[in-house]
């Protein structure tokens, strides 16, 4: 259920603590003139009706961090990633940057989205094509219509880049609890060494 009747009541209506899709929301939060927040019903509610809030177009990862929960059918859920400029062919970096801006209004390392279903937004596929196209194909891509079907060579390059991104990102996470614990311990040790190095450097500067 997307309801939680343990929330504090508001004018006799129990306030839901769980996020719901926008079409299921019965109230919205807005700023009042005095700077306070108001909870405004979007439809007539009975005294015992739960108040459901839409927390905006957040992915499940964002909801998990902010609210400690996820939605089973979240239309905004997606894996957010970007392509680092340092991984691109440096000779054509400026041309790719200009294409992204002129065609899609995106910066060079803009956030892109992959939906759990595996579908790609047209803007994501187009951006990947710009970022991964062989330099010899950039001029033709610049002359083509935005979101027009891509030539097979560019579509394959875009999908190969996406596959590499997924492998790199997923490769950062362990597949077992033991691996997670080892990774957490390694991060703690790394942070401790960094702090020790900083303390040593500060001590040397004071001696000088």
């Amino acid at each position: 259920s997307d309801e939680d009747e343990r929330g504090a009541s508001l004018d006799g209506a129990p306030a839901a603590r769980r996020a719901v899709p926008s079409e299921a929301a019965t109230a919205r939060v807005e700023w009042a003139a005095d700077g306070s927040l108001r909870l405004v019903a979007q439809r007539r509610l009975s005294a015992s009706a739960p108040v459901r809030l839409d927390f905006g177009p957040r992915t499940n990862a964002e909801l998990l961090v902010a609210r400690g929960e996820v939605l089973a059918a979240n239309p905004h859920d997606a894996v957010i990633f970007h392509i680092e400029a340092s991984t691109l062919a440096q000779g054509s970096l400026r041309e790719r940057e200009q294409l992204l801006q002129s065609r899609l209004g995106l910066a060079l390392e803009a956030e892109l989205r992959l939906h759990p279903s595996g579908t790609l937004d047209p803007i994501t596929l187009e951006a990947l094509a710009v970022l991964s196209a062989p330099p010899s194909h950039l001029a033709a891509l610049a002359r083509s219509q935005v979101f027009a079907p891509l030539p097979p060579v560019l579509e394959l390059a875009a999908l190969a880049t996406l596959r590499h991104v997924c492998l790199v990102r997923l490769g950062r996470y362990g597949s077992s609890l033991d691996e997670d614990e080892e990774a957490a311990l390694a991060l703690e040790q790394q942070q401790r060494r960094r702090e020790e190095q900083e303390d040593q450097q500060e001590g040397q500067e004071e001696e000088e």
Side-chain angles (χ1 to χ4, degrees):
S1 170
D2 286 326
E3 301 172 10
D4 185 349
E5 297 189 359
R6 293 172 298 177
S9 63
L10 180 70
D11 296 334
R17 290 182 179 274
R18 301 193 65 184
V20 297
S22 56
E23 62 271 14
T26 59
R28 69 180 186 276
V29 177
E30 63 181 32
W31 288 103
D34 61 359
S36 61
L37 286 175
R38 295 192 306 176
L39 190 62
V40 181
Q42 298 187 145
R43 65 192 71 166
R44 184 178 295 276
L45 300 174
S46 65
S48 61
V51 178
R52 303 186 183 94
L53 297 178
D54 171 24
F55 287 95
R58 297 189 180 188
T59 67
N60 273 344
E62 292 171 321
L63 283 175
L64 184 61
V65 172
R67 303 279 308 166
E69 60 185 336
V70 296
L71 294 176
N74 185 351
H76 306 295
D77 196 22
V79 176
I80 300 175
F81 66 97
H82 72 276
I83 307 297
E84 295 182 2
S86 60
T87 65
L88 302 174
Q90 298 301 302
S92 56
L93 196 60
R94 180 59 178 167
E95 188 175 0
R96 296 179 197 275
E97 184 177 16
Q98 292 173 342
L99 275 177
L100 283 175
Q101 179 60 45
S102 62
R103 293 174 69 84
L104 305 172
L106 296 178
L108 191 58
E109 295 188 351
E111 289 185 346
L112 304 174
R113 291 174 176 259
L114 173 64
H115 297 283
S117 63
T119 58
L120 283 176
D121 291 330
I123 192 169
T124 297
L125 182 60
E126 183 88 6
L128 287 171
V130 171
L131 293 169
S132 58
S136 59
H137 286 69
L138 289 176
L141 183 58
R143 294 191 298 268
S144 67
Q145 183 178 354
V146 179
F147 302 140
L150 294 170
V153 64
L154 295 186
E155 186 170 350
L156 286 173
L159 294 178
T161 298
L162 178 61
R163 179 179 181 274
H164 176 72
V165 168
C166 291
L167 289 174
V168 170
R169 297 284 174 160
L170 292 176
R172 297 177 181 177
Y173 302 98
S175 58
S176 69
L177 182 59
D178 289 340
E179 289 179 331
D180 288 343
E181 292 176 346
E182 290 176 2
L185 179 60
L187 286 175
E188 291 178 2
Q189 292 174 342
Q190 183 180 6
Q191 178 65 25
R192 191 177 301 112
R193 287 194 297 269
R194 186 182 298 111
E195 292 174 353
E196 291 174 353
Q197 291 173 354
E198 291 175 353
D199 291 341
Q200 290 176 359
Q201 185 175 358
E202 290 177 0
Q204 292 175 355
E205 291 175 354
E206 291 176 356
E207 291 177 0
E208 294 176 356

